[in-house]
Amino acid sequence: MKKHNIFITLASGMALMLSSCNLDETPYGFYSEDNFYKTEADAEAAVNYAYGCMTFLEYSRSIIFLGDMPSEVLTTKSDASIDNQNLSNWKVADFKTNGTLENYFKYSFIGINRANAVIKKVPGCDFSQEVKDQYLGEAYFLRAYNYFCLVRNFGLVPLHTSVVESLGQTSTPLAQDLDTLYDLILGDARRAADLMPAYDSPRLGRADRVAAQALAAKAYLYIASAKEHGVKLYRDMRRDTKVMYDSAAYYADKVIFNQHVYGFEDNLLDIYDVEKANGPEHIFIMAMDRTGSTEGQYSKISKMFIPYIDGATIYLKQGDSDEFIPSHDGWGEYRTTEVFYNSFDENDKRKSHLIADKVYDANGEVSASYPDKLPYPFSRKYIDPQFSGDKTSTRPFLIRYSDIALVYAEANGPTPQSYQLVNYIRNRAGLSGLQPNLSESDFREAVYKERSFELSFEGDRMYDIRRWNRIDEIPAARGMSEDDVTFYPIPQAEINLNGSLR
């Protein structure tokens, strides 16, 4: 999609949202919101518009490019875009002008601005308070979620708590410190949890009370571990590390033990079955469907993981069964590294069932295209057997129940409940439980390692590495300065637009 700077995109996007209500175009794309938010349907459309930023292909693909590509999990192909090669190879000198980073930054702030519009206007609408609370809760959740994504990648960023409606409002300085940013993130997550209901079943592509509690748990854990491990800026935060661990455990407890909608999926393959996107594991997942008319409504994320195999339909073995399911081939952009693939226990079903090292034909015979070895083993978490050409219903997994179970275990330490949760995840993967009676530090180390396998290819690995202050363990980043590797720089395009950042 065509690139714009954040201000122009924010302004033109808001004008588009209101075009059906007001055909008079105001200068520079600014709009009058006086004739919008008149009905419940208007407000719901605005909330959906705020969610929509996540489905832009530049954003959705960046989830993996930023969350896994710079780690030991993935690499990319030699003819990938220079921006993505630079992320994979830690070419920090080029990060300020990196298009992938620029898109992620831009669309996160577009999402924040759209959420701010809902927060501003919905309280004055003329429909039930119950519905207002739901939409406001979702807007607070989205603002918190986008800021959490930004702060983990860029550190200090501008703080926008109101709608950008004029050129002058784009020159917002960086937040004073991380405490200020997390005041907003945690406050919004808690407020969202108070406002939103807990539904009787998951809602595809939408947040609820449990999603807000899960987000709070993840944010509290991030502060606690980053401060404990001396991460730049986090080590200077005013918050107490133990209180942050306790708060993470408190909110994770609400998710794990105090609701009945979400839970563990017994079968690993069922977690990633596109027809079971409303399954118990999926606390927050994108809404993409192969029936959509444009990319973003449908997904091509599976193409990014799968190698090119003569443009053919391929077949994949379903676990230990004799069933084979079809898939298209791919572009080979997200490539599993041999180091990571070989780090799995040989008995781990997350390796044998969720990473493909062979492809088959319709008869269940090893494909003649690759009779010996694929170019690389690929994640099959993103497979749609009902694909329509390039269109699939594969979706990024934003918050999973198993993720929050591991958040609880890491935050709470080696209690019986923590062991029970981690051991369930390991047993489901065909492994034995953790060694009993571990110290707190050794137990947290074991959970950190478990997360690398359980959440692989889901855009989470780099954030664990960052909060544990272990970027130096990535070979391409080894020996670099703390300033170079802790956070990505604010994109130069945004600095050029915002005089307060120069």
Side-chain angles (χ1 to χ4, degrees):
M1 298 180 70
K2 187 176 180 181
K3 293 181 182 177
H4 305 281
N5 63 57
I6 183 173
F7 169 68
I8 295 299
T9 308
L10 285 173
S12 61
M14 291 186 292
L16 177 62
M17 178 175 72
L18 301 175
S19 61
S20 62
C21 302
N22 181 4
L23 299 179
D24 296 327
E25 185 172 307
T26 53
Y28 305 106
F30 295 122
Y31 70 96
S32 170
E33 54 193 14
D34 294 339
N35 59 354
F36 200 65
Y37 293 99
K38 296 298 185 184
T39 69
E40 182 179 324
D42 288 342
E44 183 171 23
V47 172
N48 287 336
Y49 192 57
Y51 280 108
C53 297
M54 294 182 173
T55 61
F56 279 102
L57 67 92
E58 297 98 332
Y59 180 91
S60 60
R61 291 180 183 176
S62 296
I63 291 171
I64 307 298
F65 277 124
L66 273 64
D68 283 316
M69 186 65 69
S71 75
E72 82 282 15
V73 173
L74 292 178
T75 185
T76 194
K77 58 184 180 180
S78 59
D79 60 346
S81 75
I82 191 64
D83 286 337
N84 294 325
Q85 288 190 55
N86 286 344
L87 281 172
S88 180
N89 296 321
W90 283 87
K91 301 295 185 183
V92 297
D94 298 311
F95 281 175
K96 271 203 167 186
T97 55
N98 186 287
T100 301
L101 292 173
E102 181 183 329
N103 282 325
Y104 194 83
F105 190 95
K106 175 180 68 176
Y107 284 110
S108 295
F109 269 108
I110 293 173
I112 288 166
N113 200 59
R114 292 179 183 181
N116 281 336
V118 175
I119 291 167
K120 176 182 177 181
K121 295 301 293 184
V122 162
C125 291
D126 187 20
F127 46 82
S128 75
Q129 189 62 48
E130 180 181 1
V131 175
K132 287 183 187 180
D133 287 349
Q134 173 190 323
Y135 294 154
L136 284 169
E138 290 182 83
Y140 281 118
F141 171 85
L142 288 170
R143 188 168 72 177
Y145 183 87
N146 280 298
Y147 263 118
F148 185 49
C149 291
L150 285 166
V151 74
R152 290 184 298 174
N153 282 289
F154 300 98
L156 297 180
V157 295
L159 194 62
H160 286 279
T161 57
S162 59
V163 185
V164 175
E165 298 174 297
S166 67
L167 185 60
Q169 290 174 300
T170 64
S171 294
T172 302
L174 297 178
Q176 179 180 350
D177 51 33
L178 286 188
D179 280 292
T180 303
L181 281 169
Y182 275 103
D183 283 344
L184 180 72
I185 294 166
L186 295 169
D188 279 358
R190 293 192 302 262
R191 190 177 293 111
D194 290 339
L195 288 169
M196 282 191 288
Y199 297 96
D200 292 333
S201 60
R203 299 191 307 159
L204 183 63
R206 301 286 289 269
D208 61 8
R209 178 183 298 164
V210 180
Q213 293 165 341
L215 177 60
K218 286 175 70 71
Y220 276 118
L221 179 68
Y222 204 97
I223 297 169
S225 58
K227 184 167 185 179
E228 180 179 31
H229 294 105
V231 176
K232 181 183 177 181
L233 298 185
Y234 283 91
R235 59 184 176 242
D236 301 322
M237 291 182 74
R238 298 185 299 273
R239 288 170 164 83
D240 179 79
T241 300
K242 184 179 186 307
V243 172
M244 293 297 97
Y245 274 126
D246 289 346
S247 298
Y250 172 82
Y251 279 99
D253 179 277
K254 289 181 176 293
V255 174
I256 302 302
F257 301 113
N258 290 284
Q259 54 80 36
H260 65 277
V261 173
Y262 302 97
F264 286 121
E265 186 74 72
D266 293 335
N267 188 312
L268 279 176
L269 289 172
D270 285 346
I271 298 173
Y272 305 100
D273 185 334
V274 295
E275 304 304 329
K276 298 178 180 179
N278 285 328
E281 280 273 345
H282 302 307
I283 294 174
F284 185 44
I285 187 172
M286 282 190 185
M288 294 174 170
D289 190 271
R290 70 182 78 88
T291 61
S293 58
T294 59
E295 188 170 358
Q297 295 174 341
Y298 63 80
S299 169
K300 291 185 181 180
I301 193 169
S302 51
K303 302 282 286 187
M304 304 292 283
F305 283 97
I306 304 172
Y308 177 75
I309 307 174
D310 298 334
T313 296
I314 60 175
Y315 290 81
L316 303 172
K317 194 172 187 296
Q318 282 287 85
D320 295 324
S321 74
D322 294 327
E323 180 185 1
F324 293 83
I325 62 169
S327 174
H328 52 65
D329 71 347
W331 301 322
E333 192 88 16
Y334 304 149
R335 300 183 167 219
T336 311
T337 67
E338 285 194 28
V339 168
F340 182 65
Y341 181 68
N342 291 333
S343 69
F344 282 82
D345 188 293
E346 284 304 311
N347 296 317
D348 196 330
K349 294 179 182 179
R350 294 169 298 194
K351 178 181 184 180
S352 59
H353 291 187
L354 297 178
I355 303 177
D357 62 355
K358 293 183 178 65
V359 294
Y360 302 83
D361 62 23
N363 298 316
E365 301 294 330
V366 174
S367 171
S369 298
Y370 288 102
D372 299 318
K373 187 177 181 182
L374 290 172
Y376 58 92
F378 65 90
S379 171
R380 48 153 302 163
K381 289 184 174 183
Y382 305 89
I383 297 297
D384 184 355
Q386 304 299 322
F387 66 94
S388 176
D390 284 349
K391 295 182 176 183
T392 78
S393 297
T394 53
R395 308 167 179 95
F397 307 98
L398 302 178
I399 304 178
R400 269 208 298 125
Y401 184 86
S402 292
D403 175 9
I404 306 307
L406 293 171
V407 167
Y408 176 90
E410 184 177 344
N412 212 38
T415 65
Q417 295 94 334
S418 296
Y419 264 103
Q420 181 181 11
L421 292 169
V422 179
N423 287 343
Y424 180 93
I425 290 169
R426 288 179 57 82
N427 296 161
R428 180 176 65 184
L431 302 176
S432 60
L434 289 179
Q435 177 184 333
N437 302 316
L438 290 171
S439 67
E440 183 177 78
S441 61
D442 287 344
F443 181 83
R444 284 179 171 155
E445 181 77 34
V447 175
Y448 170 81
K449 183 177 180 181
E450 199 63 41
R451 288 178 63 86
S452 71
F453 301 125
E454 178 63 24
L455 303 175
S456 57
F457 315 109
E458 297 181 31
D460 207 78
R461 178 58 177 162
M462 268 308 303
Y463 304 119
D464 285 347
I465 291 172
R466 286 185 185 280
R467 67 185 175 85
W468 276 68
N469 206 6
R470 292 186 171 179
I471 297 178
D472 193 54
E473 294 181 3
I474 301 170
R478 193 164 294 149
M480 293 183 180
S481 71
E482 180 184 53
D483 289 342
D484 282 338
V485 301
T486 304
F487 301 110
Y488 295 122
I490 302 293
Q492 187 62 47
E494 302 300 332
I495 294 173
N496 293 343
L497 289 163
N498 184 346
S500 297
L501 302 181
R502 294 170 194 164

